[in-house]
Amino acid sequence: METTLKKLVENFAHPDDSYRPQPFWFWNDDLNEEHLSYQLDEMQDKGIRIFLVHARMGLSVPYLSEEWFQKVEFILNEAERRGMKLWLYDEENWPSGYAGGRVLAEDENHCGKYLRRFPAGKVPEGLHSVCRKGDWEYAWGYLHYHPAYSQSFYVDMLSRAATECFIRTTHEKYAERFADRFGKTILGFFVDEPGFYNNFEMYNYCEDPASYIWNEELPAFFKREKGYDLLEKIELLYERSEESDRLRCDFYDSAARMYEDNFLKPLADFCHSHGMQLIGHLHSEEFLPYHVKTQGNLVRCLNALDWSGIDRIDVNPEKVTEKYGSSAQHIYGKERCMSETFCLSGWDLNLKRMRRWTNWQYVRGVNAMVLHAFYSSIEGDRKWECPPTLFFQTYHWKYFRQYTDYCTRLSYALSQGDFCAPAAVYYPITTQQSLVEPDSIAAATAHDRLFLDVS
């Protein structure tokens, strides 16, 4: 984007509202309309012009019910009256894709799947045999990972049918009511933390150790992409050799492409067909082994979003999370790199620390801030649900306009001109794909440590 210095100076004092920080607005109570209107007044007074409606733990109005949509319509009317705009968060809590349990309610086969190996003839009941190679038998099972605060299970990111159900039960329900506001008051949808959750070390339990992401159509997709039969060489996924390194790279590359084609791109296509954008961030950006385990290839998958995006949930200076997002922004020619920021920063977070960590991220290429979060309520357990709130409940709220104006000008200035990188660091994703083993990420983590030291 070419911008003269004169234009930059002229617009610096009062940039376009699109550069203002945009908060998650946690709808986590009874959505009393008088209280909602008050919160909009407070946002507007502190320089917030765009926000994200986010169904969150504590919500007493049934998600995607008729009452829910009545509250959305109320907020749309109030926002339009104030000259404000909004994004729609596409899920109840997180991660995106299961529509608060509606996707699996339609078809249990939409559940996520994993692949494991067992001694031949010893496949546990309930799993489905894929093939037998020598002394081993390979079988897939359903992934029993619970999304946040849900009794449902997570969905198959490689399944177009599951994604179509998600769109039908979520996005199209909004379109039935508010299509005339798409691309106007409603800017688009926010997708949050989708990815592969099999064999994920953060589980309190793990019934699928030493597993790979799976889908019944993956072998055929793999053969079309790579030109050879995955099942003929499947034992190499569990071995260490030059040939197994190649197979793992091809496997994760195919899984990433299938994930893009069957989940991320259909969401983007829906938004684009209705004059909107798709923004958000993916799952576990902080460390390279998880770029493989949860996405196949995180930086490439970011291309499916209209803004590149990352999640900065703590203030650990050893991470280079922002550089993954800003690198994707530059590689794929996107205008913005968004950061969802300040989750789990604690109740002692103040404006001085907020400014410090905003600077920290912006100098690494971020130029759009999604604030986590404005809580409608902090009563009871909600106070400890990924704190802190950044909203009217804080002691420094009356000074918050100083932060929003500062962040707005920084976002504007760092969105102008042409990016020039005097140095580059190679993104070693294929090395990581070869090092991530089904039962260990130790070698990949050691390699990541070298990458972080260099970066």
Side-chain angles (χ1 to χ4, degrees), residues 14 29 47 120 140 145 173 197 199 201 203 210 230 251 260 275 300 304 393 410 418 443 450:
H14 302 287
D29 56 13
W140 67 265
Y145 173 79
K173 294 300 182 184
Y197 281 81
N199 196 19
E201 279 79 2
Y203 284 4
L230 169 63
F251 178 89
E260 289 178 84
R300 198 185 68 211
Q393 301 97 337
L410 204 57
D418 296 317
L450 298 174

Side-chain angles (χ1 to χ4, degrees), residues 5 17 32 73 84 110 159 217 260 332 347 385 408 428 437-438 446-447:
L5 183 58
D17 287 344
N32 175 276
E73 183 172 18
M84 303 173 79
H110 292 335
S159 167
E217 298 175 5
E260 289 178 84
Y332 300 117
W347 281 105
E385 200 270 311
T408 302
E437 299 185 72
H447 176 259

Side-chain angles (χ1 to χ4, degrees), residues 131-146:
C131 65
R132 180 170 175 170
K133 300 284 288 184
D135 295 331
W136 296 100
E137 192 167 355
Y138 299 83
W140 67 265
Y142 287 113
L143 174 65
H144 293 157
Y145 173 79
H146 292 288

Side-chain angles (χ1 to χ4, degrees), residues 239-254:
E239 296 178 5
R240 291 290 336 168
S241 68
E242 186 174 332
E243 191 176 7
S244 67
D245 288 350
R246 178 197 170 188
L247 182 67
R248 267 197 286 271
C249 289
D250 285 348
F251 178 89
Y252 281 117
D253 185 68
S254 295

Side-chain angles (χ1 to χ4, degrees), residues 166-182:
F166 177 49
I167 292 172
R168 187 168 59 253
T169 55
T170 302
H171 304 68
E172 290 181 1
K173 294 300 182 184
Y174 284 102
E176 289 172 7
R177 294 163 173 82
F178 310 123
D180 60 331
R181 304 187 187 194
F182 281 180

Side-chain angles (χ1 to χ4, degrees), residues 274-295:
H274 289 83
M276 300 184 296
Q277 290 187 308
L278 178 68
I279 65 169
H281 76 95
L282 309 178
H283 179 36
S284 291
E285 306 99 335
E286 291 90 348
F287 300 108
L288 290 175
Y290 290 96
H291 291 201
V292 176
K293 286 179 63 66
T294 70
Q295 309 292 322

Side-chain angles (χ1 to χ4, degrees), residues 141-194:
Y142 287 113
L143 174 65
H144 293 157
Y145 173 79
H146 292 288
Y149 315 116
S150 175
Q151 294 304 306
S152 181
F153 296 129
Y154 197 48
V155 293
D156 186 348
M157 292 282 103
L158 307 184
S159 167
R160 177 64 68 94
T163 301
E164 289 173 349
C165 181
F166 177 49
I167 292 172
R168 187 168 59 253
T169 55
T170 302
H171 304 68
E172 290 181 1
K173 294 300 182 184
Y174 284 102
E176 289 172 7
R177 294 163 173 82
F178 310 123
D180 60 331
R181 304 187 187 194
F182 281 180
K184 300 171 185 174
T185 308
I186 300 173
L187 298 174
F189 282 86
F190 188 103
V191 62
D192 196 18
E193 304 217 357

